[in-house]
Amino acid sequence: EAQVTQNPRYLITVTGKKLTVTCSQNMNHEYMSWYRQDPGLGLRQIYYSMNVEVTDKGDVPEGYKVSRKEKRNFPLILESPSPNQTSLYFCASSYGGDTQYFGPGTRLTVL
Amino acid sequence: ELKVEQNPLFLSMQEGKNYTIYCNYSTTSDRLYWYRQDPGKSLESLFVLLSNGAVKQEGRLMASLDTKARLSTLHITAAVHDLSATYFCAVDVEGYGNNRLAFGKGNQVVVIP
């Protein structure tokens, strides 16, 4: 089944404790992105990638890192999480500029 | 800075009637996407509009794109309860399909009997 998977789905952590949210797709898509969704703000793109080793900043990259060492994986790294990074995170992938497929989401709470 | 504005942010629809929701944007992009999100769920792609004048239809939903007016519309025909959801439009910021997207804040639609 074609899908985008994210792990973990839920995470509660404390300020400053490094964490990684994994994202994997099995559709051989070149394009992948990370978004955060906050009430009343819609979705905001954090980072995006057009292919392996090609990543760029979106609207809100501060406090986040990404890497794209393999085509199927695009992890989101929070080196020192802060409470303002409490949010719902979505990973997405697409073939070129076509239909984007979203993962199920990761709800992160930073205390 | 690109702005993507969706109107109205909240819309209560009566079953059986027709409605239109709007997505305005401030860049010259000719690529626009519509998504649907049900409460507590992820986003599902509805339409990909890749040129001026593009029109796509699926069931009771029809989306169109006017790049000169920087406007996309999502028309709902004979609304039914199953169409209750939040609809997001997203614009290709640089207009050439490099995956840099900006989303609107969404149109929350509730269809009542």
Side-chain angles (χ1 to χ4, degrees):
Chain A
E1 179 191 353
Q3 60 182 349
V4 178
T5 57
Q6 294 179 228
N7 283 292
R9 295 287 312 281
Y10 303 90
L11 179 60
I12 300 174
T13 189
V14 295
T15 297
K17 186 176 181 182
K18 181 179 178 180
L19 66 92
T20 299
V21 183
T22 64
C23 173
S24 184
Q25 50 94 4
N26 64 0
M27 295 169 277
N28 202 36
H29 287 164
E30 297 99 340
Y31 287 12
M32 297 187 75
S33 287
W34 275 104
Y35 300 91
R36 61 178 287 174
Q37 184 175 27
D38 301 291
L41 296 179
L43 276 83
R44 292 178 291 169
Q45 196 173 41
I46 303 171
Y47 272 94
Y48 62 102
S49 170
M50 294 177 69
N51 214 324
V52 174
E53 303 292 2
V54 180
T55 63
D56 209 343
K57 298 176 181 178
D59 295 314
V60 288
E62 297 78 17
Y64 304 95
K65 284 176 57 177
V66 292
S67 69
R68 187 95 183 271
K69 294 186 170 61
E70 303 168 284
K71 199 171 187 179
R72 64 183 293 129
N73 296 324
F74 192 42
L76 180 70
I77 303 156
L78 285 72
E79 295 268 3
S80 183
S82 63
N84 64 12
Q85 293 177 298
T86 292
S87 188
L88 178 59
Y89 291 87
F90 288 103
C91 178
S93 74
S94 67
Y95 180 72
D98 208 341
T99 300
Q100 214 170 186
Y101 294 85
F102 281 79
T106 295
R107 189 167 291 281
L108 173 65
T109 301
V110 184
L111 302 174
Chain B
E1 180 188 336
L2 170 63
K3 291 185 179 178
V4 182
E5 295 185 348
Q6 295 187 240
N7 291 289
L9 292 181
F10 179 82
L11 183 55
S12 178
M13 299 182 179
Q14 282 193 313
E15 275 194 337
K17 292 196 173 179
N18 302 333
Y19 296 89
T20 300
I21 56 180
Y22 301 90
C23 174
N24 292 274
Y25 56 97
S26 62
T27 188
T28 56
S29 178
D30 60 359
R31 288 172 170 258
L32 189 138
Y33 308 82
W34 282 97
Y35 297 91
R36 167 184 172 141
Q37 185 179 36
D38 294 314
K41 302 289 187 182
S42 185
L43 282 83
E44 173 190 355
S45 178
L46 292 174
F47 300 109
V48 179
L49 304 170
L50 298 179
S51 62
N52 185 39
V55 178
K56 295 271 184 82
Q57 182 164 6
E58 179 74 33
R60 299 174 188 274
L61 300 178
M62 183 174 72
S64 64
L65 178 61
D66 181 343
T67 60
K68 292 179 182 172
R70 302 181 186 179
L71 171 68
S72 180
T73 59
L74 183 64
H75 186 74
I76 298 173
T77 301
V80 293
H81 179 70
D82 284 353
L83 293 180
S84 297
T86 298
Y87 295 87
F88 291 97
C89 66
V91 177
D92 183 318
V93 173
E94 292 164 15
Y96 56 85
N98 71 339
N99 204 25
R100 173 75 177 93
L101 299 181
F103 278 72
K105 294 182 179 178
N107 305 97
Q108 186 180 351
V109 168
V110 176
V111 181
I112 55 176

